Amino acid sequence: MTLAYWIFAALLAVFYLYAGGKKATQSREQLQPMMGWVDRVPMPLVRTIGVLEILGAAGLLLPPLTGIAPWLAVAAAVGLVLIQVGGIVVHLSRGEARQIGLNIVLLVAAAVTAWLATTWV
């Protein structure tokens, strides 16, 4: 179970560090081709989502690695699940039902990661 946790956590952390970093640092025009939804969302909210994704990635890795408050890994994974629920809601509200595949995969991966983290926390 520990190995499975680290595989899921590492993959999610890489994804969220990349995606969150882009949201936290790039302009609306730079994000637009990859994330069409940024045209209707205020940039402070986009930046907040990016920072939350970065914090979620750190929360998946740092607490278990340091042994300090390892329950934060569960909280980080649950937070990432909630981010994807929000992403699905945004896509569905924009009539983009075909674009929620990645959101669903990330939601399931984060939920599995949360469950795996509870097995050793």
Side-chain angles (χ1 to χ4, degrees), residues 32-54:
Q32 184 70 37
M34 193 158 132
M35 302 172 202
W37 56 270
V38 300
D39 64 346
R40 295 187 188 161
V41 176
M43 279 311 287
L45 180 56
V46 174
R47 301 268 186 252
T48 300
I49 293 167
V51 169
L52 290 173
E53 289 176 346
I54 293 167

Side-chain angles (χ1 to χ4, degrees), residues 1-41:
M1 290 295 219
T2 302
L3 178 61
Y5 172 81
W6 284 111
I7 291 169
F8 274 91
L11 291 173
L12 284 172
V14 168
F15 176 85
Y16 282 111
L17 285 173
Y18 173 75
K22 289 182 86 57
K23 290 177 191 121
T25 61
Q26 292 187 341
S27 70
R28 183 183 309 273
E29 292 74 28
Q30 291 171 310
L31 293 172
Q32 184 70 37
M34 193 158 132
M35 302 172 202
W37 56 270
V38 300
D39 64 346
R40 295 187 188 161
V41 176

Side-chain angles (χ1 to χ4, degrees), residues 47-73:
R47 301 268 186 252
T48 300
I49 293 167
V51 169
L52 290 173
E53 289 176 346
I54 293 167
L55 291 173
L60 291 176
L61 302 178
L62 296 178
L65 283 175
T66 63
I68 300 170
W71 59 269
L72 285 174

Side-chain angles (χ1 to χ4, degrees), residues 98-116:
R98 291 181 181 217
Q99 294 185 0
I100 64 170
L102 178 60
N103 298 96
I104 292 170
V105 169
L106 292 170
L107 185 148
V108 170
V112 168
T113 304
W115 174 73
L116 289 169

